[in-house]
Amino acid sequence: MIRNKFVRAVGAISLLFMTAACASKSASVDPDVNDPYEAMNRKIFEFNRTFDRQIFKPISSAYQFIMPDPLEDGVSNAMRNLREPWVFINDILQLKFKRALTTLTRFTLNTTVGAAGLFKVSDGMGIPYHSEDLGQTLAVWGVKESPYLVIPFIGPSTNRDFVGFAGYFFLDPVTIALVNEGERGLALTRTGVDALDARVRLHDALDELYKEDDPYVVMRSLYLQAQRYQIYDGDPPADEAEEDFFDELEDEESGGR
């Protein structure tokens, strides 16, 4: 809103807030939204917002103040690169072999020429980034869209996407490799840095979101649109009102900052 989400997983989650100001202009309570847990979700949303304002934002602000911009960008690039093996696995699970080859090529280039992913050399070579996760894979496999859900500390999700997040948590090959090498502490550090990086990239957008009359509705709308966008690989059956949203989200997902 973490993968958040602040995971990834958090791919779409870390991107969709960048368009909060645009999307909020048309956000409204939609009776067709599958949100049967809204009363509970709103309470968790408020808890997450308080935690973010009191704890996470000061840490994020300090990080931005201390870190030079080039180093901050390098950390962000490296965190994205470490998600590539999970993207590759989900490309394969969705039988998107051309995209899987693109992911593998991008990961190889950025890990080697890009100094362990600190530099996004693949972007300069015209090999764009794309995100895939287990929630998207389940959708492609035919698992129906499930109720909207707000997860404590994590943010917006659905029942289907939460299963996907749990899959990432337990099955991510980078985490498994680190744990198998006895580097559990390094694996946890990576998770923390990934979450911090996501929060840093959301810094201004979250401030704008929380200024909305009903930020809960805006967040829900953005999350569900972003997930739909990614499930359809950037080409959903969208109406005209959504086109600007998808164009802006595509620009963010390509790696621009």
Side-chain angles (χ1 to χ4, degrees):
M1 214 185 177
I2 21 123
R3 232 270 59 178
N4 263 259
K5 134 257 228 79
F6 296 134
V7 293
R8 72 130 302 162
V10 238
I13 297 175
S14 64
L15 300 174
L16 57 88
F17 274 124
M18 296 303 183
T19 59
C22 174
S24 65
K25 291 181 175 62
S26 60
S28 60
V29 177
D30 185 348
D32 295 327
V33 171
N34 189 4
D35 189 5
Y37 314 128
E38 182 171 352
M40 177 189 71
N41 284 338
R42 283 184 177 274
K43 291 178 181 178
I44 297 174
F45 173 80
E46 289 302 325
F47 168 81
N48 286 349
R49 177 161 62 168
T50 299
F51 176 83
D52 180 69
R53 298 289 87 179
Q54 300 298 320
I55 306 296
F56 222 0
K57 182 179 180 179
I59 295 173
S60 173
S61 298
Y63 177 84
Q64 288 182 300
F65 179 78
I66 294 170
M67 291 283 280
D69 287 345
L71 185 55
E72 185 181 314
D73 289 344
V75 171
S76 183
N77 296 340
M79 291 299 101
R80 191 184 79 168
N81 193 56
L82 288 174
R83 291 193 293 271
E84 294 279 33
W86 184 242
V87 174
F88 175 79
I89 289 173
N90 282 281
D91 284 332
I92 295 295
L93 291 175
Q94 295 176 36
L95 305 182
K96 298 174 181 176
F97 300 117
K98 184 176 180 179
R99 285 166 69 89
L101 180 59
T102 298
T103 301
L104 181 60
T105 302
R106 189 173 57 238
F107 177 71
T108 302
L109 284 170
N110 291 337
T111 301
T112 54
V113 183
L118 291 174
F119 302 98
K120 298 184 291 187
V121 296
S122 61
D123 289 11
M125 299 175 67
I127 306 175
Y129 175 78
H130 68 267
S131 177
E132 297 287 355
D133 59 34
L134 188 56
Q136 294 165 239
T137 297
L138 292 174
V140 171
W141 286 355
V143 177
K144 299 299 182 182
E145 182 175 318
S146 53
Y148 180 70
L149 195 64
V150 182
I151 310 297
F153 302 109
I154 302 298
S157 185
T158 63
N159 290 346
R160 181 183 64 199
D161 291 337
F162 183 63
V163 171
F165 167 72
Y168 173 74
F169 187 81
F170 290 107
L171 301 175
D172 170 52
V174 173
T175 300
I176 291 174
L178 289 173
V179 171
N180 287 343
E181 291 297 320
E183 299 291 346
R184 186 178 297 274
L186 186 58
L188 292 174
T189 299
R190 176 226 172 177
T191 299
V193 173
D194 202 12
L196 177 59
D197 172 65
R199 178 57 181 79
V200 167
R201 288 183 286 120
L202 296 175
H203 196 86
D204 294 335
L206 282 172
D207 285 341
E208 292 301 315
L209 174 77
Y210 293 147
K211 293 176 183 177
E212 296 296 328
D213 292 338
D214 192 345
Y216 173 84
V217 170
V218 176
M219 180 184 72
R220 183 182 65 189
S221 176
L222 287 170
Y223 180 81
L224 294 176
Q225 287 183 77
Q227 289 302 91
R228 182 166 175 260
Y229 170 90
Q230 292 193 331
I231 288 167
Y232 284 96
D233 295 335
D235 188 25
D239 56 35
E240 293 183 1
E242 293 176 319
E243 287 179 358
D244 289 342
F245 170 82
F246 292 131
D247 288 343
E248 191 168 349
L249 185 60
E250 186 174 27
D251 290 341
E252 293 295 340
E253 188 178 59
S254 68
R257 292 190 53 169

